[in-house]
Amino acid sequence: MSSNHALVTRLREHLGTAAVLTDTDVTDAYSRDMMPLADSGKPLAVVLPSDVEGVQAVVKACAEFEVPIVPRGAGSGLSGAANAIDGCVVLVLTKLDQIVEIDEGNRLAVVQPGVVNLDFRNAVEKHGLFYPPDPSSYDWCTIGGNLSTNAGGLCCVKYGVTTDSVLGLEVVLADGSVLKTGRRTVKGVAGYDLARLFVGSEGTLGVITQATVALKPLPQLPSTLVAAFNSTEAAGEAVARVVREGLVPSLMEIMDATSIKAAEAYLKTDLGTSADCKALLLAQSDAGGEVARKELAVLEQICVDCGADLAYATEDLEEGKMLLQARRVVLTALEMYGVWLTDDVCVPRTRIAELIAGCERISEEVGLRIAVVGHAGDGNMHPTIVYAPDSEEEFARARKAFDAILDVALSLGGTVTGEHGIGRIKREWLAKEIGEVGIRVHRQIKRALDPGNLFNPGSMFSL
């Protein structure tokens, strides 16, 4: 009996035949995420345990047979971090899908990694509570994937990214043991902050099987502001002024001219901008009542002072949703022109306009459409390159543009990823950003927790 056959037999003994998939027509569907640039391999098997004991059994068996494991959630990622490598076992965590506890009194919840983000948000909302992290794929991405990539979203400007809501984790380590780290209290400084080490580790250090997360009181219904500018510099100055004045809206998004035109064409509507509109700011306040009105009034005045051609605030919920829809549909709208490749960089908020200008220059150089949208409140931008799906030559130009955008972001004092992660497409860029010593420390941590290089080898960096 071959070692591969023996491993599959062992896995089926522990999990049952239905939970161990080897048919390539099925396993291919689990071999990659949503990033077209990232390479992927052919897995030996795809396993779907339904409890932590099943995860432990998989880890122990794979360690014994020296077969690598690639943990995976729903596959909504945009970095290739969940992509299979040849001969690996893809460990799918979507069947660990229980909300174990919602503790209203302490405003926390215990949740398994397979729970869909939107389902979790809806569940805690029934208790008058709010789970802030809201990735764009929140209607199908899972909590485990959010934890592994330290996902963000539109409301990061006020509420932070995933790690800011994490109190503790349960993690299966490379030897199959279960680490429980963190706390249920508001404060706690006992030992190293191991929970934050595993959040954002992209499945390279262990398998997250449960999380204790902090919840917020349910915010008030949002009021919305839209402002149009005839230059990206003016819009950038407005963002910088908002930050300097100490305002913290619950959302502040920016759209460049290319994304505005795409959204208008897709929605078959006029956003009320002039023909020479170069940037649109969308902001919301969830403070409610008079506080929200005052907050948006100050935001509106800042936009006017910075040269906005249009600045309009509304408390009408449906009108606000309509305005925000223009931002949410941009990626879908760009599919009218081809397939898209979205980047994920973060720059100092005072340099957003320079990044957009850099993307405009790169667009001209490569001869491809590049639309820029992003979270202006925290500087996390998503330049999106559009190319013809059947053209290898255009794909090569898109790849060139992707790397050029990363280079611009670093030159502006930024980072190569704000929320999507490093995965398999930005490994060399991680080394450029954090330097030789930083990579050495990463490798030392990896070897200490995963000496056999069992978990997601080759993702983020190589040993």
Side-chain angles (χ1 to χ4, degrees), residues 1-286:
M1 181 185 296
S2 70
S3 60
N4 284 350
H5 183 68
L7 173 58
V8 170
T9 299
R10 177 81 61 83
L11 292 172
R12 284 176 171 155
E13 288 173 354
H14 286 300
L15 303 181
T17 302
V20 182
L21 311 176
T22 56
D23 187 330
T24 55
D25 289 340
V26 178
T27 59
D28 282 351
Y30 292 92
S31 65
R32 62 177 308 110
D33 66 12
M34 300 295 290
M35 169 47 71
L37 290 183
D39 294 333
S40 63
K42 298 285 187 182
L44 168 66
V46 172
V47 298
L48 296 96
S50 56
D51 53 32
V52 65
E53 291 77 17
V55 175
Q56 288 179 278
V58 172
V59 171
K60 289 177 181 178
C62 289
E64 179 183 340
F65 285 86
E66 298 182 341
V67 170
I69 295 171
V70 176
R72 175 191 169 94
S76 65
L78 288 163
S79 70
N83 283 15
I85 59 174
D86 288 336
C88 77
V89 168
V90 175
L91 175 56
V92 182
L93 296 158
T94 52
K95 287 192 174 181
L96 278 75
D97 59 358
Q98 300 300 306
I99 300 174
V100 179
E101 177 188 1
I102 298 174
D103 182 343
E104 298 177 46
N106 290 302
R107 292 212 298 261
L108 61 82
V110 180
V111 62
Q112 291 185 324
V115 174
V116 172
N117 183 291
L118 181 58
D119 292 342
F120 182 50
R121 287 163 64 90
N122 288 340
V124 301
E125 186 174 326
K126 294 175 183 177
H127 297 264
L129 298 170
F130 173 52
Y131 180 65
D134 65 336
S136 295
S137 57
Y138 73 132
D139 55 344
W140 66 290
C141 67
T142 57
I143 297 296
N146 297 169
L147 292 163
S148 293
T149 59
N150 198 10
L154 272 64
C155 68
C156 292
V157 57
K158 183 172 183 177
Y159 296 106
V161 294
T162 296
T163 192
D164 296 302
S165 294
V166 174
L167 295 173
L169 298 174
E170 176 185 271
V171 184
V172 175
L173 301 177
D175 62 359
S177 60
V178 176
L179 169 69
K180 295 186 178 182
T181 184
R183 63 194 193 281
R184 291 173 64 99
T185 54
V186 175
K187 296 171 65 178
V189 294
Y192 296 139
D193 192 346
L194 296 180
R196 286 180 181 260
L197 175 63
F198 285 96
V199 175
S201 64
E202 300 181 14
T204 61
L205 300 178
V207 182
I208 298 171
T209 52
Q210 189 168 276
T212 302
V213 296
L215 304 173
K216 301 284 187 184
L218 192 65
Q220 300 294 312
L221 296 175
S223 299
T224 306
L225 168 78
V226 59
F229 299 84
N230 61 14
S231 76
T232 54
E233 292 77 14
E237 176 57 26
V239 172
R241 282 273 305 275
V242 169
V243 175
R244 285 198 298 269
E245 301 251 350
L247 297 172
V248 186
S250 58
L251 173 153
M252 187 161 62
E253 298 290 297
I254 191 168
M255 299 169 62
D256 74 345
T258 302
S259 56
I260 294 166
K261 290 182 176 67
E264 287 181 328
Y266 178 78
L267 295 172
K268 295 181 174 60
T269 188
D270 184 349
L271 296 176
T273 61
S274 62
D276 61 349
C277 178
K278 300 299 183 184
L280 198 68
L281 280 184
L282 291 160
Q284 286 189 330
S285 172
D286 62 5

Side-chain angles (χ1 to χ4, degrees), residues 37 339 368 387-400:
L37 290 183
V339 294
L368 295 174
Y387 61 96
D390 55 354
S391 172
E392 291 186 10
E393 190 270 337
E394 284 202 11
F395 179 75
R397 282 189 275 148
R399 174 75 223 218
K400 179 181 178 181

Side-chain angles (χ1 to χ4, degrees), residues 28 86 178 274 328 336 411 421 427 450:
D28 282 351
D86 288 336
V178 176
S274 62
R328 292 192 181 276
M336 297 185 298
S411 74
R427 286 174 294 193
D450 183 16

